[in-house]
Amino acid sequence: MNTYFISDTHLGSGLDSQQRERQLVALLDAIRPQCHRLILLGDMFDFWFSYRHVVPRGFCRLIGKLAQMADEGVEIHYFIGNHDMWVFDYFEKEVGCIMHSEPTLMTIDGKQFLMGHGDGLGHLDKHYDFLKRIFRCRFNQRLFASIHPWVGMGIANRWSNHSRHHHDPACFRYMGDDKEGIVLWCKEQLLQQPIDYCVFGHRHTPICKPISLSMPDGSERTSLYLNVGEWIHHRNYVSFDGSELLLHDLKFSSNDQPIF
């Protein structure tokens, strides 16, 4: 039974959002017979807010499929990202997901996996650190909830699209170990304990590279850093069968390749 990782589908953004959702549901149908664990690494939606009595319009195919898989015994972990940090408890109570707001160390088939979305790690972007504190403030969340969804969702979706579209595409390229906040943070965790794989999203490009750290006793501790990719320009996901990690791209299926 396999574990699957998916990240950064950003449903709700772009004219092809519903097509992406249908492709994602088709993928979940295809992997279901061998799927024991599904790990969603954040930004599954371009924006989401869990109102007390209102469900945001759209995404019914994906939500229904996740609920069906959870009912059938698939272990679904949902790590919130920077675009869907306001999911709160909806996916836990209504769908059956195990929710995570911070990176988590998990043992999978005897291997140690450190995983999460990846936003804000390393604290290299002080501007984002400030915004994250604002968005995670419970008082500000209650203020937003008091706005009628017709208005609030419109404002939030425009903000989210503006934020994503104004990023220079070059910023998603690997910038080097000393400039990648996720890698710097993973090295800090690697200093504390052995980790086999560090699996994250957020960077919107498949990245796979070994990271190593010199220990105080002179030994070398190594891990594999993997970024799962995204679903805006590609259709990336990763599978793990207990011994091999495999990177897939639905758009270029002939390029599926073992990454470790």
Side-chain angles (χ1 to χ4, degrees):
M1 300 297 285
N2 296 349
T3 298
Y4 292 87
F5 302 84
I6 303 173
S7 184
D8 293 272
T9 57
H10 286 274
L11 297 182
S13 69
L15 298 177
D16 67 338
S17 174
Q18 194 171 100
Q19 178 189 14
R20 274 183 281 135
E21 182 184 8
R22 291 178 185 273
Q23 291 173 331
L24 179 56
V25 170
L27 169 64
L28 296 178
D29 279 332
I31 67 174
R32 174 62 192 97
Q34 62 269 17
C35 180
H36 169 67
R37 186 181 292 106
L38 175 65
I39 299 178
L40 308 175
L41 290 171
D43 283 3
M44 301 304 294
F45 307 95
D46 208 48
F47 177 74
W48 181 279
F49 191 89
S50 293
Y51 295 95
R52 183 173 297 178
H53 302 295
V54 177
V55 179
R57 181 173 180 171
F59 323 120
C60 57
R61 294 170 182 83
L62 175 61
I63 295 172
K65 181 55 61 179
L66 292 176
Q68 178 188 0
M69 293 176 69
D71 289 346
E72 292 173 350
V74 177
E75 184 181 302
I76 304 177
H77 294 262
Y78 193 132
F79 289 81
I80 65 171
N82 50 303
H83 280 258
D84 54 6
M85 67 171 62
W86 286 352
V87 296
F88 305 140
D89 63 354
Y90 176 80
F91 284 86
E92 179 180 11
K93 292 184 175 179
E94 300 295 333
V95 179
C97 299
I98 302 168
M99 301 302 299
H100 303 270
S101 59
E102 301 293 342
T104 298
L105 188 67
M106 189 183 305
T107 302
I108 301 177
D109 294 324
K111 301 292 186 180
Q112 292 295 101
F113 280 77
L114 180 63
M115 65 190 78
H117 182 62
D119 59 305
L121 298 183
H123 301 290
L124 298 182
D125 187 345
K126 301 303 180 185
H127 175 68
Y128 175 71
D129 288 345
F130 174 72
L131 287 178
K132 189 172 182 177
R133 287 195 296 271
I134 292 176
F135 291 144
R136 289 206 172 185
C137 172
R138 298 296 293 177
F139 177 74
N140 292 335
Q141 293 166 2
R142 293 190 185 98
L143 281 180
F144 184 86
S146 68
I147 303 173
H148 194 286
W150 286 3
V151 178
M153 291 295 293
I155 293 173
N157 281 321
R158 283 193 294 272
W159 171 281
S160 182
N161 276 289
H162 178 273
S163 171
R164 185 169 42 77
H165 287 306
H166 280 72
H167 275 100
D168 182 351
C171 74
F172 293 119
R173 299 171 188 158
Y174 193 79
M175 298 181 293
D177 290 5
D178 60 336
K179 295 181 180 178
E180 290 282 345
I182 301 176
V183 172
L184 292 173
W185 185 83
C186 287
K187 286 186 175 182
E188 293 177 1
Q189 308 311 305
L190 191 59
L191 182 63
Q192 305 300 319
Q193 58 194 318
I195 301 169
D196 295 295
Y197 304 107
C198 301
V199 185
F200 289 84
H202 187 57
R203 295 290 285 111
H204 280 226
T205 187
I207 301 170
C208 179
K209 71 180 303 293
I211 56 176
S212 60
L213 191 68
S214 297
M215 302 299 293
D217 62 1
S219 64
E220 196 82 3
R221 184 172 285 177
T222 62
S223 180
L224 185 75
Y225 166 61
L226 169 66
N227 193 279
V228 174
E230 48 81 37
W231 276 60
I232 296 177
H233 302 293
H234 294 266
R235 302 291 186 268
N236 299 125
Y237 68 101
V238 166
S239 63
F240 179 64
D241 65 0
S243 61
E244 182 180 63
L245 279 171
L246 189 67
L247 174 64
H248 309 263
D249 191 327
L250 293 180
K251 281 193 171 182
F252 307 100
S253 57
S254 61
N255 290 338
D256 291 353
Q257 55 183 306
I259 53 181
F260 189 70

